[in-house]
């Protein structure tokens, strides 16, 4: 019996699917509010939200051989190989039936990015980057996770540091290709979504809404 990884090898880019799906990478530091905004995008624009972390956790929970390997790597503090995460994303895209996806929290670094494009032969339509000052993200996380050991100030700052060192090169790569849509994420949720909506509303529709017809 083939594993999830083997099944994905038929791939998003294989004979099973002639048309490549639309993929948008969603990046932002911890506490930037990207999860909340992804839920809004799904509701208003019909995308499917895929979280790399959720897929890894689901694979572990499944008890598969692959899941056990992932669990052991995480326990040992090792980074799960890009290919493993990419194959899970590929399989989720393939099995879903939708043709447009938000990939949340991935790629986490340059190596992830290059591997994703090589394995899937898909380039993202654009990268939605939730840009939020560190002080604001810190305030939100501390407010949201009162009493949680893993969200103390020291751990939070380590997570910020990892995000800056790993993910910013990915953002810079796509910025050079004109593919980054930066969202000012420090504002209230509804105001942030107005900015997000402007990114997702097709130009033609914007014109239609803004045109005044005089009879």
């Amino acid at each position: 019996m083939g594993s999830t990884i083997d099944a994905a090898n038929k791939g998003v880019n294989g004979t099973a699917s002639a048309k490549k799906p639309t993929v948008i990478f969603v990046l932002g530091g911890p506490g930037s509010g990207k999860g909340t905004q992804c839920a809004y995008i799904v509701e208003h624009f019909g995308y499917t939200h895929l979280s790399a972390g959720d897929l890894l956790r689901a694979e572990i929970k499944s008890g598969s051989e692959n899941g056990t390997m992932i669990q052991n790597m995480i326990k040992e503090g090792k980074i799960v190989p890009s290919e493993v995460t990419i194959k899970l994303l590929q399989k989720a895209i393939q099995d879903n039936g939708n043709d447009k996806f938000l990939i949340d929290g991935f790629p986490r670094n340059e190596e992830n990015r290059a591997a994703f494009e090589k394995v899937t032969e898909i380039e993202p339509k654009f990268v939605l980057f939730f840009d939020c000052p560190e002080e604001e993200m810190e305030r939100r996380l501390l407010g949201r996770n009162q009493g949680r050991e893993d969200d103390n100030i020291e751990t939070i700052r380590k997570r910020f540091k990892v995000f800056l060192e790993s993910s910013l090169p990915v953002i810079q790569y796509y910025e050079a290709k004109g593919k980054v849509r930066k969202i000012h994420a420090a504002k209230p949720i509804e105001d942030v979504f107005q900015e997000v909506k402007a990114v997702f509303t097709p130009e033609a529709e914007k014109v239609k809404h803004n045109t005044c017809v005089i009879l």
Side-chain angles (χ1 to χ4, degrees), residues 75-195:
K75 262 186 199 163
E76 289 163 25
K78 292 178 183 169
I79 292 169
V80 176
S82 293
E83 189 179 307
V84 172
T85 310
I86 291 162
K87 293 296 185 189
L88 291 173
L89 286 165
Q90 236 182 339
K91 178 80 166 56
I93 288 170
Q94 198 180 310
D95 291 351
N96 186 275
N98 198 352
D99 64 351
K100 44 188 192 175
F101 297 87
L102 302 170
I103 297 186
D104 176 5
F106 186 93
R108 294 180 75 102
N109 54 40
E110 256 301 292
E111 195 262 331
N112 279 175
R113 178 205 64 72
F116 181 88
E117 289 190 11
K118 189 180 174 191
V119 172
T120 66
E121 294 179 11
I122 294 170
E123 261 205 54
K125 185 179 180 185
F126 59 82
V127 174
L128 195 63
F129 172 42
F130 289 92
D131 192 18
C132 194
E134 197 171 309
E135 308 74 54
E136 175 60 18
M137 291 193 285
E138 194 174 285
R139 188 187 66 75
R140 289 175 183 179
L141 288 171
L142 289 170
R144 186 173 74 188
N145 294 306
Q146 287 295 346
R148 262 181 56 170
E149 262 180 67
D150 60 336
D151 267 324
N152 60 46
I153 199 93
E154 198 180 318
T155 311
I156 287 169
R157 284 179 182 162
K158 270 185 197 158
R159 284 166 69 195
F160 290 151
K161 190 169 181 285
V162 167
F163 172 74
L164 286 171
E165 287 171 358
S166 305
S167 300
L168 281 187
V170 175
I171 291 158
Q172 285 159 354
Y173 172 86
Y174 286 116
E175 208 152 31
K177 301 183 101 178
K179 285 193 165 197
V180 172
R181 307 290 179 268
K182 192 183 280 192
I183 303 294
H184 301 287
K187 298 180 289 189
I189 290 169
E190 282 303 328
D191 294 350
V192 173
F193 187 58
Q194 287 311 309
E195 221 180 299

